[in-house]
Coordinates of all heavy atoms in Angstrom, one line a residue:
A1 N 143.4 44.8 -23.3 CA 144.1 44.4 -22.0 C 144.2 45.7 -21.1 O 144.2 45.6 -19.9 CB 145.4 43.8 -22.3
G2 N 144.4 46.8 -21.8 CA 144.5 48.1 -21.0 C 143.3 48.4 -20.2 O 143.3 49.2 -19.3
F3 N 142.1 47.9 -20.6 CA 140.9 48.1 -19.9 C 140.7 47.1 -18.8 O 139.6 47.0 -18.2 CB 139.7 48.1 -20.9 CG 139.6 49.3 -21.7 CD1 140.1 49.4 -23.0 CD2 138.9 50.5 -21.2 CE1 140.0 50.5 -23.8 CE2 138.8 51.6 -22.0 CZ 139.3 51.6 -23.3
G4 N 141.7 46.3 -18.5 CA 141.6 45.4 -17.3 C 141.3 44.0 -17.6 O 141.1 43.2 -16.7
V5 N 141.3 43.6 -18.9 CA 141.1 42.2 -19.2 C 142.4 41.4 -18.9 O 143.4 41.7 -19.4 CB 140.7 42.0 -20.7 CG1 140.6 40.5 -21.0 CG2 139.4 42.7 -21.0
D6 N 142.3 40.4 -18.0 CA 143.5 39.7 -17.5 C 143.7 38.4 -18.3 O 142.9 37.5 -18.3 CB 143.3 39.4 -16.1 CG 144.5 38.7 -15.4 OD1 145.5 38.6 -16.1 OD2 144.4 38.3 -14.2
G7 N 144.8 38.4 -19.1 CA 145.1 37.2 -19.9 C 145.5 36.0 -19.1 O 145.7 34.9 -19.6
E8 N 145.7 36.2 -17.8 CA 146.1 35.1 -16.9 C 144.8 34.3 -16.4 O 145.0 33.3 -15.7 CB 146.9 35.6 -15.7 CG 148.2 36.1 -16.1 CD 149.1 35.1 -16.8 OE1 149.2 34.0 -16.3 OE2 149.8 35.5 -17.8
T9 N 143.6 34.8 -16.8 CA 142.4 34.0 -16.4 C 141.9 33.4 -17.7 O 142.1 33.9 -18.8 CB 141.4 35.0 -15.9 OG1 141.0 35.9 -16.9 CG2 141.9 35.7 -14.7
P10 N 141.2 32.3 -17.6 CA 140.7 31.6 -18.8 C 139.8 32.5 -19.7 O 139.9 32.6 -20.9 CB 139.9 30.4 -18.2 CG 140.5 30.1 -16.9 CD 140.9 31.5 -16.4
A11 N 138.8 33.2 -19.0 CA 137.9 34.1 -19.8 C 138.7 35.2 -20.4 O 138.5 35.6 -21.6 CB 136.8 34.6 -18.9
G12 N 139.6 35.8 -19.7 CA 140.4 36.9 -20.2 C 141.3 36.5 -21.3 O 141.4 37.2 -22.4
L13 N 141.9 35.3 -21.2 CA 142.7 34.8 -22.3 C 141.9 34.6 -23.6 O 142.3 35.0 -24.7 CB 143.3 33.4 -21.9 CG 144.1 32.7 -23.0 CD1 145.3 33.5 -23.4 CD2 144.6 31.3 -22.5
A14 N 140.7 34.0 -23.4 CA 139.8 33.8 -24.6 C 139.4 35.1 -25.2 O 139.3 35.2 -26.4 CB 138.5 33.0 -24.1
V15 N 139.1 36.1 -24.4 CA 138.7 37.4 -24.9 C 139.8 38.1 -25.7 O 139.6 38.6 -26.8 CB 138.2 38.4 -23.7 CG1 138.1 39.8 -24.3 CG2 136.9 37.9 -23.2
L16 N 141.0 38.0 -25.1 CA 142.2 38.7 -25.8 C 142.5 37.9 -27.1 O 142.8 38.6 -28.2 CB 143.4 38.7 -24.9 CG 143.3 39.6 -23.7 CD1 144.6 39.4 -22.9 CD2 143.1 41.0 -24.1
L17 N 142.4 36.6 -27.2 CA 142.6 35.9 -28.4 C 141.5 36.3 -29.4 O 141.8 36.5 -30.6 CB 142.5 34.4 -28.1 CG 143.7 33.7 -27.4 CD1 143.4 32.3 -27.1 CD2 145.0 33.8 -28.3
A18 N 140.3 36.4 -29.0 CA 139.2 36.7 -29.9 C 139.4 38.1 -30.5 O 139.2 38.4 -31.7 CB 137.8 36.6 -29.2
V19 N 139.7 39.1 -29.6 CA 139.9 40.5 -30.0 C 141.1 40.5 -31.0 O 141.0 41.2 -32.1 CB 140.2 41.4 -28.8 CG1 140.7 42.7 -29.3 CG2 138.9 41.5 -28.0
Q20 N 142.2 39.8 -30.7 CA 143.3 39.9 -31.6 C 143.0 39.3 -33.0 O 143.3 39.9 -34.1 CB 144.5 39.0 -31.1 CG 145.7 39.0 -32.0 CD 146.9 38.3 -31.3 OE1 146.9 38.1 -30.1 NE2 147.8 37.8 -32.1
N21 N 142.3 38.2 -33.1 CA 141.9 37.6 -34.3 C 140.9 38.5 -35.1 O 140.9 38.6 -36.3 CB 141.3 36.2 -34.1 CG 142.4 35.2 -33.7 OD1 143.5 35.2 -34.3 ND2 142.1 34.4 -32.7
A22 N 139.9 39.1 -34.3 CA 138.9 39.9 -34.9 C 139.6 41.2 -35.5 O 139.2 41.6 -36.6 CB 137.9 40.3 -33.9
G23 N 140.6 41.7 -34.9 CA 141.3 42.8 -35.4 C 142.0 42.5 -36.7 O 142.0 43.3 -37.7
I24 N 142.6 41.4 -36.8 CA 143.2 41.0 -38.1 C 142.2 40.8 -39.2 O 142.4 41.3 -40.3 CB 144.0 39.6 -37.9 CG1 145.2 39.9 -36.9 CG2 144.5 39.1 -39.2 CD1 145.9 38.6 -36.5
I25 N 141.1 40.1 -38.9 CA 140.1 39.9 -39.9 C 139.5 41.2 -40.3 O 139.2 41.5 -41.5 CB 139.0 39.0 -39.4 CG1 139.6 37.5 -39.1 CG2 137.8 38.9 -40.3 CD1 138.6 36.6 -38.5
A26 N 139.2 42.1 -39.4 CA 138.7 43.4 -39.7 C 139.6 44.2 -40.6 O 139.2 44.9 -41.6 CB 138.4 44.2 -38.4
W27 N 140.9 44.2 -40.4 CA 141.9 44.9 -41.2 C 141.9 44.3 -42.6 O 141.8 45.1 -43.6 CB 143.3 44.8 -40.6 CG 144.3 45.6 -41.3 CD1 145.0 45.2 -42.5 CD2 144.7 46.9 -41.0 NE1 145.8 46.3 -42.8 CE2 145.7 47.3 -42.0 CE3 144.4 47.8 -39.9 CZ2 146.3 48.5 -41.9 CZ3 145.0 49.0 -39.9 CH2 145.9 49.4 -40.9
L28 N 141.9 43.0 -42.7 CA 141.9 42.4 -44.1 C 140.6 42.7 -44.8 O 140.6 42.9 -46.0 CB 142.1 40.9 -43.9 CG 143.4 40.4 -43.5 CD1 143.5 38.9 -43.3 CD2 144.5 40.8 -44.4
A29 N 139.4 42.7 -44.1 CA 138.2 43.0 -44.7 C 138.2 44.5 -45.2 O 137.7 44.8 -46.3 CB 137.0 42.8 -43.7
G30 N 138.8 45.4 -44.4 CA 138.9 46.7 -44.9 C 139.8 46.9 -46.1 O 139.5 47.7 -47.0
V31 N 140.9 46.1 -46.1 CA 141.8 46.1 -47.3 C 141.0 45.6 -48.5 O 141.1 46.2 -49.6 CB 143.0 45.3 -47.1 CG1 143.8 45.1 -48.4 CG2 143.9 45.9 -46.0
A32 N 140.3 44.6 -48.4 CA 139.5 44.0 -49.5 C 138.5 45.1 -50.0 O 138.3 45.2 -51.2 CB 138.8 42.8 -49.1
R33 N 137.9 45.8 -49.1 CA 136.9 46.8 -49.5 C 137.5 48.0 -50.2 O 137.0 48.5 -51.2 CB 136.0 47.2 -48.3 CG 134.9 48.2 -48.6 CD 134.0 48.4 -47.4 NE 133.3 47.1 -47.1 CZ 132.1 46.8 -47.7 NH1 131.6 47.5 -48.6 NH2 131.5 45.7 -47.3
L34 N 138.6 48.4 -49.7 CA 139.2 49.7 -50.2 C 140.1 49.4 -51.4 O 140.2 50.3 -52.3 CB 140.1 50.3 -49.1 CG 139.3 50.9 -47.9 CD1 140.3 51.3 -46.8 CD2 138.4 52.0 -48.3
K35 N 140.8 48.3 -51.5 CA 141.8 48.1 -52.5 C 141.5 46.9 -53.4 O 142.2 46.8 -54.4 CB 143.2 47.9 -51.9 CG 143.7 49.1 -51.1 CD 145.0 48.9 -50.4 CE 146.1 48.7 -51.5 NZ 147.4 48.5 -50.9
G36 N 140.6 46.0 -53.0 CA 140.4 44.8 -53.7 C 139.0 44.7 -54.4 O 138.4 45.7 -54.8
R37 N 138.5 43.5 -54.4 CA 137.2 43.3 -55.0 C 136.0 43.3 -54.0 O 134.9 43.0 -54.4 CB 137.2 41.9 -55.8 CG 138.1 42.0 -57.0 CD 138.2 40.6 -57.7 NE 139.1 39.8 -56.9 CZ 139.4 38.5 -57.2 NH1 138.8 37.9 -58.3 NH2 140.2 37.8 -56.5
G38 N 136.3 43.6 -52.8 CA 135.3 43.9 -51.9 C 134.9 42.8 -50.8 O 134.0 43.0 -50.0
S39 N 135.5 41.6 -50.9 CA 135.2 40.6 -49.9 C 136.4 39.7 -49.6 O 137.3 39.6 -50.4 CB 134.0 39.7 -50.5 OG 134.5 38.9 -51.5
L40 N 136.3 39.0 -48.5 CA 137.4 38.1 -48.1 C 137.4 36.9 -49.0 O 138.5 36.4 -49.3 CB 137.1 37.6 -46.6 CG 137.2 38.7 -45.5 CD1 136.9 38.1 -44.2 CD2 138.6 39.3 -45.5
A41 N 136.3 36.5 -49.5 CA 136.2 35.4 -50.5 C 136.9 35.7 -51.8 O 137.7 35.0 -52.3 CB 134.8 34.9 -50.7
A42 N 136.5 36.9 -52.3 CA 137.0 37.3 -53.7 C 138.5 37.6 -53.6 O 139.3 37.3 -54.5 CB 136.2 38.4 -54.2
D43 N 139.0 38.3 -52.6 CA 140.3 38.8 -52.5 C 141.3 37.8 -51.9 O 142.5 37.8 -52.2 CB 140.4 40.1 -51.8 CG 139.7 41.2 -52.6 OD1 140.3 41.6 -53.6 OD2 138.7 41.7 -52.2
F44 N 140.9 37.0 -50.9 CA 141.8 36.1 -50.2 C 141.4 34.6 -50.2 O 142.1 33.8 -49.6 CB 141.9 36.6 -48.7 CG 142.3 38.0 -48.6 CD1 141.4 38.9 -48.0 CD2 143.5 38.4 -49.0 CE1 141.8 40.3 -47.9 CE2 143.9 39.8 -48.8 CZ 143.0 40.7 -48.3
G45 N 140.3 34.3 -51.0 CA 140.0 32.9 -51.1 C 139.2 32.3 -49.9 O 139.2 31.1 -49.8
F46 N 138.7 33.1 -49.1 CA 138.0 32.6 -47.9 C 136.8 31.7 -48.3 O 135.9 32.1 -49.1 CB 137.5 33.7 -47.0 CG 136.7 33.2 -45.8 CD1 137.3 32.5 -44.8 CD2 135.3 33.4 -45.8 CE1 136.5 32.1 -43.7 CE2 134.6 33.0 -44.7 CZ 135.2 32.3 -43.7
A47 N 136.8 30.5 -47.8 CA 135.7 29.5 -48.0 C 135.9 28.4 -46.9 O 137.0 27.9 -46.7 CB 135.7 29.0 -49.4

């Protein structure tokens, strides 16, 4: 959002939602790789 993506526009809202969700998934994937068994499926049951 600091780079000018406007959450008050439909495209901007979609981008911010996607970035927020991608950030969470990336963090969990990193935790699985560093501290777990290495995958979202093995560590968190993703299917």
Side-chain angles (χ1 to χ4, degrees):
F3 284 97
V5 176
D6 185 3
E8 294 299 315
T9 65
L13 176 62
V15 168
L16 292 179
L17 287 173
V19 169
Q20 179 176 337
N21 289 315
I24 293 173
I25 293 174
W27 186 277
L28 292 175
V31 170
R33 182 170 294 275
L34 293 174
K35 300 178 64 176
R37 289 175 286 177
S39 73
L40 295 175
D43 290 292
F44 304 115
F46 175 70

